[in-house]
Amino acid sequence: MKIAVLIKQVPGSESPLPLNSTQTWVDEPQVTYTMNPPDNYALEEALLIKENVGDGEVVAVSLGPERVKKVIREGLAKGADRGIYLEENSQIETDPLSIARSFASVLQDENFDLILTGLQSDDAGMGQTGVLIGELLGLSTATLAVQTNIQDEQIRVKRELESGWFQWVKLPLPASISIQSGLNTPRYPSLKGIMGAKKKEIRVIPASEHQTAEKTQTIKKVFVPQTTKKTEVIEGNADTAAARILEILKSDVKVL
Amino acid sequence: MDDLFFNQDHIMIQDMVREFAESEIMPIARELDEEEKFPTELVKQMGELGLMGINVPEKYGGSGLDMVAYATAVMGLARADASVAITMAAHTSLGTLPILLHGSDEQKKTYLPKLASGEVIGAFGLTEPEAGSDAGSTKTMAVKKGDDYIVNGGKIFITNAGKAGLLSFTSQIKHEDKLLGIGAFVIPTATAGLEIGPKEKKMGWRASDTRQLFFHNMKIPSSAMLGDPTDGFRTFLKTLTSGRISVGALAVGTAQGAYERALQYSTEREAFGRPINNFQSVSFKLADMATDIEASKLLIYHAAWMKDQNKDIVKEAAMAKLFASETAMRVATDAIQIHGGYGYVKEYDVERYFRDAKILEIGEGTSEIQRLIISREILKELQHNAL
């Protein structure tokens, strides 16, 4: 079983998030980064699958500036066998299709049985990368997996639907699956794992070998929502006032 | 600042311990303290992560890491709970280190793998009612009889004693009515003649297991001896100076934990219409706390780094321990002050840090002893320079 896990590095939940001067993203140098928590669950699921199957390989894959190598090393310390690092040009890529194309171009030669991603990233939160890669590589695809089960050349996946419903789907391998957070308990890297991570290979793919100029999305502006206060004084007699209040409760507050 | 002393491994260890402490220790720290509950499950987890064998070479099943890594780990644990940190630290720097440094190949092979995995917890007995830092006054006596020693006496304030599987202890050694000096032994705690007293009720470090030990005609084989007593006890003690880095690191973590709570509270609590950290009387306190913690950390990491370079650290370790422990006490006191009345109730945790901080100025050599060591060292340097 050869499994790729896509791991993103995102601003930590306790990091300050000041905007950059062009208001197009956060101001990178002031941010502290962490492994995208949903990807941590995907990594754990990959390690568990490998352990259950009894053999195979887990490869931690990440794209971004130099700093993202840290999350690959974390993945290696937790038990991934090797890493692939996709270098990125200076501009942080946020277009999911471009990102998926980059990954797909690198992953297709590796012939993975399984590509696992976290449900979404904690920064842009697009939630599309895994699905798009599945499509680009012609793999069977499922999202929101809360349980996985490998059976011969197939994978059974329990998916979380709305309103407390679940669905079991059976997919032929190779497949690209996005993992719902909370389905397992991610391990901590042991000191042995940390020491051993240095000896594991991280293959570096230069930006020119996977990035294309073609972009389908660009971020125009990032801003902190402004809260405004609006006071309405309702005038007129009791009937008019009651009618207006009813309307507000129905259409603005939406409690009726 | 940490980066100055860190390589990539240290950064990852710091991150891992932080995450482990926040997820596994912080949620139960108050309960452990209140119920004086030994953190058995956490010790098991720390063993699996390699934290119980940081200083043990890989060939004996340890992590084979340096003093900087160890200090980082102790700080990270103590930031969440000093009791958990001292359980690990006493196991590592007191329970394991004497075997690592003075044990025979046989002793190392027998004991180190189990200590490194955390399967067996280690304890170390030095202190007696009349012998603490004045270790020369040790009364415990081991008398050679055939191939064995018969030990009588006792030890006090022994960390991990009730949970330990292995005990190292110091004793006077007597051969045929002749006192050879002080030596050390390592024995399983299941040895007949070793009585382990009831758990001490303490002001702080309440989840840590501290007890008195009694030796009643305890018969142990000569092979239980650690090192050679004729080598001199001073050499043996000198190797334990790293215990000061240990408690100093624990102090930095304790101070950091108390400070972070005070900082957080100062943003939440408002008085006269603004957060209390808008008042200079509070913000200057926070500034002093942060500065002293930073200085303590530098002293500890520097002493740890020197130790890793095999330099003599008698003075540096004493300075680091002295400054860090007094900082922890000061910071914990101010953390309560910033909390006002809430700081005095258990809900806000700073009173636990306050109670945990006091022992730091006592254990592993009191502040007074540290000053004694430092003054001796600087006066010695003066003499050297004069010559």
Side-chain angles (χ1 to χ4, degrees):
Chain A
M1 185 67 53
K2 196 171 159 187
I3 310 171
V5 187
L6 272 47
I7 303 175
K8 190 174 185 179
Q9 194 186 38
V10 296
S13 58
E14 286 169 16
S15 168
L17 296 173
L19 300 180
N20 63 13
S21 56
T22 53
Q23 272 203 292
T24 48
W25 198 238
V26 292
D27 191 26
E28 290 263 327
Q30 296 191 59
V31 174
T32 53
Y33 289 93
T34 179
M35 182 189 288
N36 180 42
D39 298 342
N40 201 9
Y41 291 100
L43 171 65
E44 180 64 27
E45 197 63 14
L47 295 170
L48 291 173
I49 291 173
K50 182 191 152 185
E51 284 161 13
N52 281 337
V53 171
D55 78 321
E57 188 185 32
V58 173
V59 184
V61 191
S62 191
L63 175 150
E66 183 71 20
R67 61 173 163 77
V68 311
K69 273 189 179 166
K70 182 160 183 269
V71 294
I72 297 180
R73 277 196 298 270
E74 253 181 83
L76 299 178
K78 289 186 179 193
D81 300 283
R82 61 185 169 95
I84 302 177
Y85 164 54
L86 282 66
E87 270 183 343
E88 191 177 50
N89 291 325
S90 55
Q91 180 67 29
I92 300 289
E93 186 58 78
T94 51
D95 172 19
L97 187 54
S98 302
I99 291 171
R101 280 186 179 133
S102 286
F103 278 119
S105 71
V106 174
L107 297 181
Q108 65 179 352
D109 303 330
E110 291 262 3
N111 295 317
F112 285 103
D113 297 302
L114 206 51
I115 297 172
L116 299 187
T117 55
L119 157 77
Q120 60 184 32
S121 61
D122 275 8
D123 53 1
M126 299 283 191
Q128 297 180 38
T129 308
V131 183
L132 289 170
I133 291 171
E135 178 63 22
L136 290 169
L137 296 180
L139 314 176
S140 43
T141 302
T143 53
L144 283 166
V146 291
Q147 204 178 324
T148 67
N149 204 338
I150 300 284
Q151 292 174 336
D152 303 323
E153 293 304 301
Q154 295 184 317
I155 181 168
R156 285 184 78 226
V157 172
K158 187 180 178 184
R159 299 186 61 242
E160 187 176 351
L161 306 181
E162 294 293 322
S163 314
W165 282 73
F166 294 94
Q167 175 193 41
W168 277 102
V169 290
K170 201 187 268 183
L171 308 152
L173 294 176
S176 173
I177 314 278
S178 83
I179 300 291
Q180 171 67 300
S181 297
L183 87 167
N184 52 36
T185 310
R187 65 196 68 186
Y188 302 100
S190 71
L191 297 191
K192 272 204 181 76
I194 290 172
M195 304 294 286
K198 285 188 299 238
K199 295 170 199 136
K200 295 177 178 173
E201 178 210 351
I202 299 180
R203 184 153 68 93
V204 180
I205 315 282
S208 58
E209 286 177 28
H210 67 82
Q211 278 192 313
T212 55
E214 190 187 350
K215 270 193 208 303
T216 52
Q217 278 183 19
T218 46
I219 291 183
K220 284 267 184 252
K221 190 184 173 190
V222 174
F223 61 96
V224 179
Q226 297 290 317
T227 50
T228 52
K229 206 160 86 178
K230 204 175 94 187
T231 309
E232 181 182 337
V233 178
I234 300 168
E235 287 171 355
N237 62 24
D239 284 347
T240 333
R244 175 68 189 133
I245 288 171
L246 204 61
E247 191 187 319
I248 291 170
L249 291 178
K250 269 184 185 158
S251 59
D252 292 358
V253 192
K254 294 185 175 121
V255 291
L256 291 179
Chain B
M1 171 282 286
D2 302 357
D3 301 14
L4 192 58
F5 302 97
F6 277 12
N7 58 33
Q8 270 176 13
D9 291 342
H10 296 127
I11 296 171
M12 287 178 87
I13 292 166
Q14 188 180 44
D15 286 353
M16 180 273 275
V17 174
R18 189 184 182 89
E19 203 188 324
F20 173 74
E22 287 180 358
S23 307
E24 314 291 335
I25 306 178
M26 275 184 192
I28 58 168
R30 198 182 306 162
E31 178 194 330
L32 293 175
D33 172 68
E34 273 181 33
E35 297 175 13
E36 300 185 293
K37 202 155 94 186
F38 186 80
T40 306
E41 187 55 35
L42 290 172
V43 168
K44 195 172 154 248
Q45 283 177 283
M46 290 194 289
E48 285 161 6
L49 291 174
L51 290 170
M52 299 298 276
I54 292 187
N55 59 349
V56 176
E58 288 177 84
K59 68 170 173 173
Y60 296 117
S63 306
L65 285 157
D66 57 15
M67 203 65 193
V68 170
Y70 171 71
T72 306
V74 173
M75 281 180 202
L77 296 174
R79 176 175 161 265
D81 184 6
S83 289
V84 174
I86 187 57
T87 302
M88 178 277 233
H91 165 87
T92 308
S93 78
L94 298 175
T96 306
L97 197 61
I99 301 166
L100 198 57
L101 296 172
H102 305 284
S104 63
D105 282 349
E106 191 57 35
Q107 286 167 330
K108 286 182 186 175
K109 264 188 257 169
T110 314
Y111 298 131
L112 289 179
K114 284 179 181 172
L115 289 167
S117 68
E119 184 189 334
V120 168
I121 297 176
F124 178 67
L126 172 83
T127 307
E128 298 184 3
E130 288 171 52
S133 293
D134 176 19
S137 303
T138 298
K139 294 278 192 297
T140 295
M141 183 71 71
V143 181
K144 181 111 191 223
K145 194 178 171 192
D147 259 355
D148 299 322
Y149 282 93
I150 307 294
V151 185
N152 280 288
K155 300 285 171 183
I156 55 168
F157 306 140
I158 307 309
T159 305
N160 290 346
K163 301 291 174 181
L166 205 63
L167 171 75
S168 307
F169 66 94
T170 53
S171 171
Q172 298 280 358
I173 314 269
K174 202 184 228 179
H175 284 197
E176 295 162 356
D177 293 334
K178 199 177 147 218
L179 265 183
L180 295 187
I182 298 171
F185 296 93
V186 55
I187 55 161
T189 48
T191 304
L194 170 64
E195 183 195 339
I196 297 167
K199 190 170 168 173
E200 300 285 359
K201 298 217 169 279
K202 306 192 296 291
M203 175 189 194
W205 285 9
R206 284 160 53 87
S208 142
D209 189 290
T210 315
R211 293 169 196 253
Q212 194 168 354
L213 303 174
F214 307 93
F215 307 117
H216 307 291
N217 290 319
M218 181 175 77
K219 190 167 102 174
I220 53 174
S222 299
S223 61
M225 186 170 276
L226 262 184
D228 180 356
T230 52
D231 260 2
F233 185 55
R234 275 173 190 280
T235 323
F236 185 84
L237 276 190
K238 215 172 177 180
T239 56
L240 295 180
T241 43
S242 46
R244 299 201 181 104
I245 295 178
S246 199
V247 171
L250 226 149
V252 173
T254 304
Q256 183 72 27
Y259 160 73
E260 284 173 14
R261 277 164 179 74
L263 185 65
Q264 179 64 29
Y265 184 79
S266 77
T267 63
E268 290 164 4
R269 172 66 200 263
E270 292 191 0
F272 306 102
R274 48 191 170 136
I276 56 170
N277 61 20
N278 282 8
F279 296 101
Q280 205 176 67
S281 56
V282 171
S283 63
F284 275 25
K285 260 197 186 71
L286 290 167
D288 286 341
M289 291 159 105
T291 306
D292 285 352
I293 292 170
E294 188 78 358
S296 302
K297 244 204 269 190
L298 276 166
L299 284 168
I300 294 293
Y301 278 137
H302 181 242
W305 174 82
M306 283 181 71
K307 174 85 188 155
D308 290 333
Q309 312 299 312
N310 288 319
K311 293 181 195 295
D312 181 24
I313 56 160
V314 174
K315 182 180 76 178
E316 286 76 10
M319 286 175 161
K321 195 267 176 184
L322 172 67
F323 191 78
S325 59
E326 296 197 340
T327 290
M329 194 67 244
R330 218 163 34 237
V331 166
T333 308
D334 282 345
I336 293 193
Q337 200 64 24
I338 287 172
H339 279 73
Y342 283 120
Y344 202 66
V345 298
K346 287 188 184 283
E347 198 188 333
Y348 283 79
D349 283 334
V350 280
E351 64 83 37
R352 172 165 58 85
Y353 285 87
F354 177 84
R355 288 185 286 105
D356 285 343
K358 186 59 211 173
I359 186 63
L360 299 164
E361 297 180 319
I362 299 168
E364 225 36 72
T366 58
S367 288
E368 291 74 14
I369 289 292
Q370 306 306 333
R371 289 191 168 87
L372 183 74
I373 294 167
I374 297 163
S375 62
R376 274 183 194 158
E377 291 297 312
I378 54 180
L379 292 174
K380 211 158 59 181
E381 284 167 17
L382 186 73
Q383 264 178 351
H384 274 296
N385 293 343
L387 282 173

